[in-house]
Amino acid sequence: MNDRRPIPIAQPGMTAWGRAAERDLETYARETALASPIDLTDRVMAAIEAQSPSDGRRSIPMMAAFGAGRLRMAWGLVVVLVAMLGGAALVGGASAIIGRDIGAPTEGSPDGRPILVADPTATTTQGADDPTPEPIDAAVPPKPLEHDAVEATEAPNVRDATDDPEASDEADGTDEPEATADADDGDEETDSDEPDATDEPGETDEPEDDSDGGEPQEPDGASAS
Amino acid sequence: MLDPTEPATVLQVDDHTLVDTIIAGDRDAYRMLVERESTTVFRCCYRVLGHVEDAEDVAQESFIAAFRSLASWRGDGSLRAWLAQIATRRALRAASRRARPASLDDRPDGGDLPGEVDIFRDSDPAAAVSAAERAAQVREAVTNLPEPYRETIALRYFAELSIDEIAWTVDRPVGTVKVHVHRGLERLRAALSEESVA
């Protein structure tokens, strides 16, 4: 009745195999319980030292590098400061020069004074044959001279306007300020340079008038400038 | 600063203190660690590889690798177990790369450690050859075990770590490590029996 024995969980053969393997491993471990080579520590430390120098050897170069870095930083600050001062001086000078005539293209004159160059579109009334740029600040070309120059080049519209005094009066009021009949609005230069332009338009048509229309005169301001 | 000239310092110093000192830049402290654990690391490598020069090379590489990754030591296990795991893994990889059989000439002139038994020294040549063949069978059988049994058996019987140290090192529960050891031994016995029959 009670002769039943407990069934082992693990197979007896398996346990014996495990124990036998453990004995083999323990025997192998005893047989191979060797001492480490004497120079193993020195080899390890030499290899580590070769790959990464110790802090003691790196201390002097690091301090030197640190000092050199501080010196370079100081020099860099000095250079930046000088550059800032020089830049500020340049900007101040440039702004003083540009501040007089902002937006106008300039050319350098021999005496260092900037020369303002006239817009090329403005030279159409000065004479298309004259390639030299007219200085703007020299003087505004006097209207009588411009009028004569236009007539010398025989501009058709101007010629028509002079043929018809009334039509010229209308045109002068709108498009052609140099041939204006109402030049007496107060333009003193026009009155002084061209006293007869409005009173006697017929004289302006005469090509014999070489002094006024044949050779466009250089304005006096050009030489002055 | 640790004094490497004091022999007692090498044995008594705490692992955490030693690691902190090494990380702080004290190379002498790492020299102390190498001297303290060189036997464990070298034996482990030699038991896996069966060749003295190869074991020396792998042990040196293991110490260098440990020095580089010393900051990654978690500190919950022993430093010896951590070093043994590094050496065991490197030795097993090296053994997998080469399949050179060990010879009797690979034996070092050991026997300097207390309690060491060198069966190659005081036995006749026939017994020495037989013992060398058996040792090669055991070594090859362990090397050919599948993971995780291979690493567990090597750490237990080649690096001579306890079950708790293995559990800390491989970051597995103690019961799992016991099961791995048991199953690894069974597989090892089966492999050794097949080799004996062959």
Side-chain angles (χ1 to χ4, degrees), chain A residues 37-72:
Chain A
I38 298 173
D39 60 341
L40 180 59
T41 303
D42 295 333
R43 288 173 52 185
V44 169
M45 297 310 296
I48 290 174
E49 194 71 20
Q51 292 182 4
S52 59
S54 63
D55 295 337
R57 293 186 181 180
R58 281 186 305 187
S59 59
I60 294 175
M62 285 180 66
M63 288 299 294
F66 182 67
R70 293 177 62 184
L71 187 62
R72 281 195 295 270

Side-chain angles (χ1 to χ4, degrees), chain A residues 10 14-22 24-26 28-49 51-55 58, chain B residues 24-25 27 30-31 34-35 38-39 42-43 46-47 56-57 59-60 63-64 67-68 108 112-113 116-117 119 134-135 138-139 142 153 157-158 185-186 188-190 192:
Chain A
M14 295 292 287
T15 304
W17 276 30
R19 290 175 181 170
E22 193 168 30
D24 289 338
L25 287 172
E26 289 174 353
Y28 178 73
R30 281 197 308 271
E31 294 172 354
T32 55
L34 306 177
S36 63
I38 298 173
D39 60 341
L40 180 59
T41 303
D42 295 333
R43 288 173 52 185
V44 169
M45 297 310 296
I48 290 174
E49 194 71 20
Q51 292 182 4
S52 59
S54 63
D55 295 337
R58 281 186 305 187
Chain B
R27 294 290 173 88
Y30 194 70
R31 173 179 286 274
V34 174
E35 288 178 352
S38 61
T39 298
F42 173 74
R43 279 185 183 179
Y46 177 73
R47 285 166 177 167
E56 288 180 3
D57 293 340
Q60 179 177 338
F63 276 118
I64 295 173
F67 177 77
R68 290 176 178 170
D112 297 334
L113 295 180
E116 178 182 351
V117 177
I119 63 172
R134 186 62 179 171
V138 173
R139 187 169 50 246
V142 172
I153 293 295
Y157 296 98
F158 290 174
L185 287 175
E186 290 180 348
L188 185 67
R189 182 59 184 170
L192 289 174

Side-chain angles (χ1 to χ4, degrees), chain B residues 15-178:
Chain B
D15 282 352
H16 293 274
T17 304
L18 193 60
V19 170
D20 292 341
T21 307
I22 295 169
I23 291 175
D26 190 355
R27 294 290 173 88
D28 292 334
Y30 194 70
R31 173 179 286 274
M32 291 170 53
L33 176 63
V34 174
E35 288 178 352
R36 192 182 75 178
E37 306 297 343
S38 61
T39 298
T40 299
V41 171
F42 173 74
R43 279 185 183 179
C44 181
C45 295
Y46 177 73
R47 285 166 177 167
V48 173
L49 295 169
H51 191 270
V52 174
E53 294 179 357
D54 292 347
E56 288 180 3
D57 293 340
V58 174
Q60 179 177 338
E61 295 173 1
S62 301
F63 276 118
I64 295 173
F67 177 77
R68 290 176 178 170
S69 58
L70 197 60
S72 64
W73 178 58
R74 293 176 299 178
D76 52 353
S78 67
L79 199 55
R80 169 174 161 268
W82 183 68
L83 287 169
Q85 186 194 27
I86 294 174
T88 300
R89 288 183 174 178
R90 286 181 171 266
L92 289 173
R93 280 201 299 267
S96 300
R97 286 196 297 267
R98 66 154 181 80
R100 185 179 66 178
S103 65
L104 293 177
D105 296 334
D106 295 334
R107 291 184 300 109
D109 297 330
D112 297 334
L113 295 180
E116 178 182 351
V117 177
D118 188 0
I119 63 172
F120 300 104
R121 178 181 296 174
D122 52 1
S123 60
D124 56 63
V129 171
S130 176
E133 289 179 353
R134 186 62 179 171
Q137 289 176 357
V138 173
R139 187 169 50 246
E140 185 178 0
V142 172
T143 305
N144 292 331
L145 282 175
E147 294 293 353
Y149 310 117
R150 184 176 68 166
E151 184 182 16
T152 305
I153 293 295
L155 289 174
R156 179 70 183 90
Y157 296 98
F158 290 174
E160 302 179 10
L161 299 183
S162 64
I163 297 296
D164 292 337
E165 286 178 324
I166 296 173
W168 285 330
T169 303
V170 300
D171 197 15
R172 294 193 186 103
V174 175
T176 304
V177 173
K178 286 182 179 178

Side-chain angles (χ1 to χ4, degrees), chain A residues 108-134:
Chain A
S109 62
D111 56 354
R113 180 184 176 187
I115 299 173
L116 300 179
V117 179
D119 192 350
T121 57
T123 58
T124 53
T125 56
Q126 297 291 329
D129 296 334
D130 189 5
T132 58
E134 292 291 333

